[in-house]
Amino acid sequence: MISVTRLEHACADAWPAQVDEPLGEWRLRAAGGFTGRANSALAVGDPGRDLPAALTAVCEFSHHHAISPLLQTVRGGPIEHALPALGWAPQDDRPAGGEVAVLLGPAVPPVPVPGHRVEVRAEPTPGWWELTVGRQQPTDAEREVLTGGDPVGYGLVTGPDGTRGAVRGALGGGLLFVARLAVRPQHRRTGLATALMAGIGTWGERHGAPACVLQVSADNTAALTLYERLGFREHHRYRYWAPCEDRAR
């Protein structure tokens, strides 16, 4: 069984921030505000100092990089019980949901979907960017986060109307980390999401990844149902915490 610590650090390696500094076994990350993962302190393991001092270091790092202090913790983990008394509260109102389920599953789904040709490229196309970040030219932070890692694969399905579906796959800790799966609304419920998972999974298997990792909002019932059907099971959950004084600003 893969430990929570190993899995979280593997995910962080596959989703690199522009700035990533160690705080003991914690990781202080910043990327211009693009995504919570790349702009939070990964609070897994021993920060090398007591918890109040570690939280102060998180706030100082965040303010230095002009982002709001944010802590990523394992749900029910060893530090969560102490955070409220230290003035931190869960961010239950985040747009992507208050909790994220970390799923493990096979690198290649058992039944690829015929009729969809998935191409995995070494570089993202303008259509891939448009579908995953909403424009054909990403910001510097978006580009660095989504192209960071080695290797990274950019899966897409195109048709006469342009890019219909896209997905990102990256290797970290010997695992395939899959993110940014997106399908245009008019092409949903056609098997395209499953085809993209099969395509990026085959790419990951060729690069030696024995298993696949996904991070999905615990509120996203449709996505969780899809991934359960593809053989994924929940490993653990994480959530974000913020200092109450920063949330009140």
Side-chain angles (χ1 to χ4, degrees), residues 55-68:
L55 297 176
T56 296
V58 169
C59 291
E60 290 174 347
F61 172 88
S62 301
H63 293 148
H64 177 73
H65 291 282
I67 60 174
S68 298

Side-chain angles (χ1 to χ4, degrees), residues 159-211:
D161 52 348
T163 302
R164 296 179 174 179
V167 68
R168 178 185 185 269
L171 274 292
L175 301 168
L176 173 65
F177 177 85
V178 176
R180 308 305 282 192
L181 177 65
V183 176
R184 291 197 183 279
Q186 64 268 34
H187 296 292
R188 292 172 186 167
R189 301 184 184 278
T190 64
L192 192 49
T194 301
L196 285 162
M197 287 296 297
I200 202 68
T202 299
W203 176 87
E205 187 180 48
R206 288 201 304 267
H207 286 83

Side-chain angles (χ1 to χ4, degrees), residues 11 13-16 37 120 128 132 142-156 166-171 176-182 196-197 200 203 213-214:
C11 290
D13 290 338
W15 190 267
R37 278 174 287 172
V120 180
W128 189 94
T132 55
E142 290 168 343
R143 184 178 297 278
E144 287 195 41
V145 171
L146 294 178
T147 62
D150 184 26
V152 180
Y154 305 90
L156 67 160
V167 68
R168 178 185 185 269
L171 274 292
L176 173 65
F177 177 85
V178 176
R180 308 305 282 192
L181 177 65
L196 285 162
M197 287 296 297
I200 202 68
W203 176 87
V213 186
L214 289 163

Side-chain angles (χ1 to χ4, degrees), residues 23-113:
L23 182 69
E25 294 176 331
W26 288 17
R27 296 169 75 153
L28 305 178
R29 302 172 295 184
F34 176 61
T35 79
R37 278 174 287 172
N39 292 274
S40 60
L42 177 59
V44 176
D46 182 1
R49 60 194 74 185
D50 64 32
L51 185 55
L55 297 176
T56 296
V58 169
C59 291
E60 290 174 347
F61 172 88
S62 301
H63 293 148
H64 177 73
H65 291 282
I67 60 174
S68 298
L70 200 62
L71 203 66
Q72 180 189 339
T73 68
V74 175
R75 186 73 167 93
I79 73 166
E80 283 204 335
H81 70 282
L83 290 175
L86 294 172
W88 289 64
Q91 277 208 320
D92 296 328
D93 57 351
R94 292 181 63 82
E99 289 190 15
V100 176
V102 180
L103 312 179
L104 276 179
V108 182
V111 184
V113 179

